[in-house]
CSV table of all heavy atoms in Angstrom, one decimal:
chain,number,residue,atom,x,y,z
A,1346,GLY,N,38.8,10.1,-18.0
A,1346,GLY,CA,38.7,11.1,-19.0
A,1346,GLY,C,37.4,11.9,-19.1
A,1346,GLY,O,36.6,11.9,-18.0
A,1347,LEU,N,37.0,12.3,-20.2
A,1347,LEU,CA,35.7,13.0,-20.4
A,1347,LEU,C,34.6,11.9,-20.5
A,1347,LEU,O,34.5,11.3,-21.5
A,1347,LEU,CB,35.7,13.9,-21.6
A,1347,LEU,CG,34.4,14.7,-21.9
A,1347,LEU,CD1,33.9,15.5,-20.8
A,1347,LEU,CD2,34.6,15.4,-23.3
A,1348,LEU,N,33.8,11.8,-19.4
A,1348,LEU,CA,32.8,10.7,-19.5
A,1348,LEU,C,31.5,11.1,-19.8
A,1348,LEU,O,30.6,10.4,-20.3
A,1348,LEU,CB,32.8,10.0,-18.1
A,1348,LEU,CG,34.1,9.4,-17.6
A,1348,LEU,CD1,33.9,8.7,-16.3
A,1348,LEU,CD2,34.8,8.5,-18.6
A,1349,ILE,N,31.1,12.4,-19.6
A,1349,ILE,CA,29.9,12.9,-20.0
A,1349,ILE,C,30.1,14.4,-20.5
A,1349,ILE,O,30.8,15.2,-19.9
A,1349,ILE,CB,28.8,13.1,-18.8
A,1349,ILE,CG1,28.5,11.7,-18.3
A,1349,ILE,CG2,27.6,13.8,-19.2
A,1349,ILE,CD1,27.6,11.6,-17.1
A,1350,GLY,N,29.6,14.6,-21.7
A,1350,GLY,CA,29.7,16.1,-22.2
A,1350,GLY,C,30.2,16.1,-23.7
A,1350,GLY,O,30.5,15.0,-24.2
A,1351,ARG,N,30.0,17.2,-24.3
A,1351,ARG,CA,30.3,17.4,-25.6
A,1351,ARG,C,31.8,18.0,-25.7
A,1351,ARG,O,32.0,19.1,-25.2
A,1351,ARG,CB,29.4,18.4,-26.3
A,1351,ARG,CG,27.9,18.0,-26.4
A,1351,ARG,CD,27.1,19.0,-27.0
A,1351,ARG,NE,25.7,18.5,-27.1
A,1351,ARG,CZ,24.7,18.7,-26.1
A,1351,ARG,NH1,25.0,19.3,-25.1
A,1351,ARG,NH2,23.5,18.3,-26.4
A,1352,PRO,N,32.7,17.3,-26.3
A,1352,PRO,CA,34.1,17.7,-26.2
A,1352,PRO,C,34.4,19.2,-26.7
A,1352,PRO,O,35.3,19.8,-26.1
A,1352,PRO,CB,34.8,16.8,-27.2
A,1352,PRO,CG,34.0,15.5,-27.2
A,1352,PRO,CD,32.6,16.0,-27.0
A,1353,ASP,N,33.6,19.7,-27.6
A,1353,ASP,CA,33.9,21.1,-28.0
A,1353,ASP,C,33.1,22.2,-27.3
A,1353,ASP,O,33.1,23.3,-27.7
A,1353,ASP,CB,33.6,21.2,-29.6
A,1353,ASP,CG,34.6,20.4,-30.4
A,1353,ASP,OD1,35.8,20.4,-30.0
A,1353,ASP,OD2,34.2,19.7,-31.3
A,1354,ARG,N,32.3,21.8,-26.3
A,1354,ARG,CA,31.6,22.8,-25.5
A,1354,ARG,C,32.5,23.6,-24.7
A,1354,ARG,O,33.4,23.0,-24.0
A,1354,ARG,CB,30.6,22.1,-24.6
A,1354,ARG,CG,29.7,23.0,-23.6
A,1354,ARG,CD,28.9,23.9,-24.4
A,1354,ARG,NE,28.0,23.3,-25.3
A,1354,ARG,CZ,26.7,22.9,-25.0
A,1354,ARG,NH1,26.3,23.0,-23.7
A,1354,ARG,NH2,26.0,22.5,-25.9
A,1355,GLU,N,32.4,24.9,-24.7
A,1355,GLU,CA,33.2,25.8,-23.9
A,1355,GLU,C,32.9,25.7,-22.4
A,1355,GLU,O,31.7,25.5,-22.0
A,1355,GLU,CB,33.0,27.3,-24.4
A,1355,GLU,CG,33.6,27.5,-25.7
A,1355,GLU,CD,33.6,29.0,-26.1
A,1355,GLU,OE1,33.0,29.8,-25.4
A,1355,GLU,OE2,34.4,29.4,-27.0
A,1356,VAL,N,33.8,26.0,-21.6
A,1356,VAL,CA,33.7,25.8,-20.1
A,1356,VAL,C,33.9,27.2,-19.5
A,1356,VAL,O,35.0,27.8,-19.8
A,1356,VAL,CB,34.7,24.8,-19.6
A,1356,VAL,CG1,34.6,24.7,-18.0
A,1356,VAL,CG2,34.4,23.4,-20.2
A,1357,THR,N,33.0,27.5,-18.6
A,1357,THR,CA,33.1,28.9,-18.0
A,1357,THR,C,33.4,28.7,-16.4
A,1357,THR,O,34.0,29.6,-15.8
A,1357,THR,CB,31.8,29.6,-18.2
A,1357,THR,OG1,30.7,28.9,-17.7
A,1357,THR,CG2,31.7,30.0,-19.6
A,1358,LYS,N,32.8,27.6,-15.8
A,1358,LYS,CA,33.0,27.4,-14.4
A,1358,LYS,C,33.1,25.9,-14.1
A,1358,LYS,O,32.5,25.1,-14.8
A,1358,LYS,CB,31.7,27.9,-13.6
A,1358,LYS,CG,31.5,29.4,-13.7
A,1358,LYS,CD,30.3,29.8,-12.8
A,1358,LYS,CE,30.1,31.3,-12.9
A,1358,LYS,NZ,28.8,31.7,-12.1
A,1359,ILE,N,34.0,25.6,-13.2
A,1359,ILE,CA,34.4,24.2,-12.9
A,1359,ILE,C,34.2,24.0,-11.4
A,1359,ILE,O,34.6,24.8,-10.6
A,1359,ILE,CB,35.8,23.9,-13.3
A,1359,ILE,CG1,36.0,24.1,-14.8
A,1359,ILE,CG2,36.1,22.4,-12.9
A,1359,ILE,CD1,37.4,23.9,-15.2
A,1360,LEU,N,33.5,22.9,-11.0
A,1360,LEU,CA,33.4,22.4,-9.6
A,1360,LEU,C,34.4,21.2,-9.5
A,1360,LEU,O,34.2,20.3,-10.3
A,1360,LEU,CB,32.0,22.1,-9.3
A,1360,LEU,CG,31.8,21.7,-7.7
A,1360,LEU,CD1,32.1,22.9,-6.8
A,1360,LEU,CD2,30.3,21.2,-7.6
A,1361,VAL,N,35.2,21.1,-8.5
A,1361,VAL,CA,36.0,20.0,-8.3
A,1361,VAL,C,35.6,19.2,-7.0
A,1361,VAL,O,35.3,19.8,-6.0
A,1361,VAL,CB,37.5,20.4,-8.0
A,1361,VAL,CG1,38.4,19.3,-7.7
A,1361,VAL,CG2,38.1,21.1,-9.3
A,1362,ALA,N,35.5,17.9,-7.2
A,1362,ALA,CA,35.0,17.1,-6.0
A,1362,ALA,C,35.6,15.7,-6.2
A,1362,ALA,O,36.0,15.3,-7.2
A,1362,ALA,CB,33.5,17.0,-6.0
A,1363,LEU,N,35.6,15.0,-5.0
A,1363,LEU,CA,36.2,13.6,-5.1
A,1363,LEU,C,35.3,12.7,-5.9
A,1363,LEU,O,35.7,11.8,-6.6
A,1363,LEU,CB,36.4,13.1,-3.6
A,1363,LEU,CG,37.1,11.9,-3.5
A,1363,LEU,CD1,38.6,11.9,-3.9
A,1363,LEU,CD2,37.0,11.2,-2.2
A,1364,ASP,N,33.9,12.9,-5.7
A,1364,ASP,CA,32.9,12.1,-6.3
A,1364,ASP,C,31.9,13.0,-7.0
A,1364,ASP,O,31.6,14.1,-6.6
A,1364,ASP,CB,32.2,11.3,-5.3
A,1364,ASP,CG,33.0,10.4,-4.4
A,1364,ASP,OD1,33.5,9.3,-5.0
A,1364,ASP,OD2,33.4,10.7,-3.3
A,1365,VAL,N,31.3,12.4,-8.0
A,1365,VAL,CA,30.1,13.1,-8.7
A,1365,VAL,C,28.8,12.5,-8.1
A,1365,VAL,O,28.4,11.4,-8.5
A,1365,VAL,CB,30.1,12.9,-10.2
A,1365,VAL,CG1,29.0,13.8,-10.8
A,1365,VAL,CG2,31.5,13.3,-10.8
A,1366,THR,N,28.3,13.1,-7.1
A,1366,THR,CA,27.1,12.6,-6.4
A,1366,THR,C,26.0,13.6,-6.9
A,1366,THR,O,26.2,14.6,-7.5
A,1366,THR,CB,27.2,12.7,-4.9
A,1366,THR,OG1,27.4,14.1,-4.5
A,1366,THR,CG2,28.4,11.9,-4.4
A,1367,GLU,N,24.7,13.2,-6.5
A,1367,GLU,CA,23.6,14.1,-6.8
A,1367,GLU,C,23.8,15.5,-6.1
A,1367,GLU,O,23.4,16.5,-6.7
A,1367,GLU,CB,22.3,13.5,-6.4
A,1367,GLU,CG,21.8,12.3,-7.3
A,1367,GLU,CD,20.4,11.9,-7.0
A,1367,GLU,OE1,19.5,12.7,-7.1
A,1367,GLU,OE2,20.2,10.8,-6.6
A,1368,ALA,N,24.2,15.4,-4.8
A,1368,ALA,CA,24.5,16.7,-4.1
A,1368,ALA,C,25.5,17.6,-4.8
A,1368,ALA,O,25.4,18.8,-4.9
A,1368,ALA,CB,24.9,16.4,-2.7
A,1369,VAL,N,26.5,16.9,-5.3
A,1369,VAL,CA,27.6,17.7,-6.0
A,1369,VAL,C,27.1,18.2,-7.4
A,1369,VAL,O,27.3,19.4,-7.7
A,1369,VAL,CB,28.9,16.8,-6.3
A,1369,VAL,CG1,29.8,17.4,-7.2
A,1369,VAL,CG2,29.5,16.5,-4.9
A,1370,ALA,N,26.2,17.4,-8.0
A,1370,ALA,CA,25.7,17.9,-9.3
A,1370,ALA,C,24.7,19.1,-9.0
A,1370,ALA,O,24.7,20.1,-9.8
A,1370,ALA,CB,24.8,16.8,-10.0
A,1371,GLU,N,24.0,19.0,-8.0
A,1371,GLU,CA,23.1,20.2,-7.6
A,1371,GLU,C,23.9,21.3,-7.3
A,1371,GLU,O,23.5,22.5,-7.7
A,1371,GLU,CB,22.2,19.7,-6.4
A,1371,GLU,CG,21.2,20.8,-6.0
A,1371,GLU,CD,20.2,21.0,-7.0
A,1371,GLU,OE1,19.7,20.1,-7.8
A,1371,GLU,OE2,19.7,22.2,-7.2
A,1372,GLU,N,25.0,21.2,-6.6
A,1372,GLU,CA,25.9,22.3,-6.2
A,1372,GLU,C,26.5,22.9,-7.5
A,1372,GLU,O,26.5,24.2,-7.6
A,1372,GLU,CB,27.0,21.8,-5.3
A,1372,GLU,CG,28.0,22.9,-4.9
A,1372,GLU,CD,29.1,22.3,-4.1
A,1372,GLU,OE1,29.3,21.1,-4.1
A,1372,GLU,OE2,29.8,23.1,-3.4
A,1373,ALA,N,26.9,22.1,-8.5
A,1373,ALA,CA,27.4,22.6,-9.7
A,1373,ALA,C,26.3,23.4,-10.4
A,1373,ALA,O,26.6,24.5,-11.0
A,1373,ALA,CB,27.9,21.5,-10.5
A,1374,ALA,N,25.0,22.9,-10.5
A,1374,ALA,CA,24.0,23.6,-11.1
A,1374,ALA,C,23.8,24.9,-10.5
A,1374,ALA,O,23.5,26.0,-11.2
A,1374,ALA,CB,22.7,22.7,-11.1
A,1375,GLU,N,23.8,25.0,-9.2
A,1375,GLU,CA,23.5,26.3,-8.5
A,1375,GLU,C,24.5,27.3,-8.7
A,1375,GLU,O,24.3,28.5,-8.7
A,1375,GLU,CB,23.3,26.0,-7.0
A,1375,GLU,CG,22.1,25.2,-6.6
A,1375,GLU,CD,22.0,24.9,-5.2
A,1375,GLU,OE1,22.9,25.2,-4.4
A,1375,GLU,OE2,21.0,24.2,-4.7
A,1376,MET,N,25.8,26.9,-8.9
A,1376,MET,CA,26.8,27.9,-9.1
A,1376,MET,C,27.0,28.2,-10.6
A,1376,MET,O,27.8,29.0,-11.0
A,1376,MET,CB,28.2,27.4,-8.5
A,1376,MET,CG,28.9,26.3,-9.2
A,1376,MET,SD,30.5,25.9,-8.6
A,1376,MET,CE,31.6,27.0,-9.6
A,1377,GLY,N,26.2,27.5,-11.4
A,1377,GLY,CA,26.3,27.7,-12.8
A,1377,GLY,C,27.5,27.1,-13.5
A,1377,GLY,O,28.0,27.4,-14.6
A,1378,ALA,N,28.1,26.0,-12.8
A,1378,ALA,CA,29.2,25.3,-13.4
A,1378,ALA,C,28.8,24.4,-14.5
A,1378,ALA,O,27.7,23.8,-14.4
A,1378,ALA,CB,30.0,24.5,-12.4
A,1379,ASN,N,29.5,24.3,-15.6
A,1379,ASN,CA,29.2,23.4,-16.7
A,1379,ASN,C,30.2,22.2,-16.8
A,1379,ASN,O,30.2,21.5,-17.8
A,1379,ASN,CB,29.0,24.1,-18.0
A,1379,ASN,CG,30.1,24.9,-18.4
A,1379,ASN,OD1,31.1,25.1,-17.7
A,1379,ASN,ND2,30.0,25.6,-19.6
A,1380,LEU,N,31.0,22.0,-15.7
A,1380,LEU,CA,31.9,20.9,-15.7
A,1380,LEU,C,32.3,20.6,-14.2
A,1380,LEU,O,32.5,21.4,-13.4
A,1380,LEU,CB,33.2,21.3,-16.4
A,1380,LEU,CG,34.4,20.2,-16.2
A,1380,LEU,CD1,34.0,18.9,-16.8
A,1380,LEU,CD2,35.7,20.8,-16.8
A,1381,ILE,N,32.2,19.2,-13.9
A,1381,ILE,CA,32.7,18.7,-12.7
A,1381,ILE,C,33.9,17.9,-13.0
A,1381,ILE,O,33.9,17.0,-13.9
A,1381,ILE,CB,31.6,17.8,-11.9
A,1381,ILE,CG1,30.4,18.6,-11.6
A,1381,ILE,CG2,32.3,17.1,-10.7
A,1381,ILE,CD1,29.2,17.8,-11.1
A,1382,VAL,N,35.0,18.2,-12.3
A,1382,VAL,CA,36.2,17.4,-12.4
A,1382,VAL,C,36.4,16.6,-11.2
A,1382,VAL,O,36.4,17.2,-10.0
A,1382,VAL,CB,37.5,18.4,-12.6
A,1382,VAL,CG1,38.8,17.5,-12.6
A,1382,VAL,CG2,37.4,19.0,-13.9
């Protein structure tokens, strides 16, 4: 489920990955994503 985040925060960009690694988090930050699934 939702493990990190504010449930009512709006989502504009999503990055999908098998794992949430530091590299994936950096990739999400660079693309301006505010959610990793």
Side-chain angles (χ1 to χ4, degrees):
L1347 176 60
L1348 303 186
I1349 295 177
R1351 299 179 176 90
D1353 293 322
R1354 177 61 58 88
E1355 288 190 346
V1356 176
T1357 56
K1358 294 182 181 180
I1359 301 173
L1360 184 65
V1361 174
L1363 190 68
D1364 302 280
V1365 185
T1366 65
E1367 285 191 64
V1369 169
E1371 185 64 35
E1372 182 183 16
E1375 289 176 359
M1376 74 173 272
N1379 51 358
L1380 170 61
I1381 297 170
V1382 174

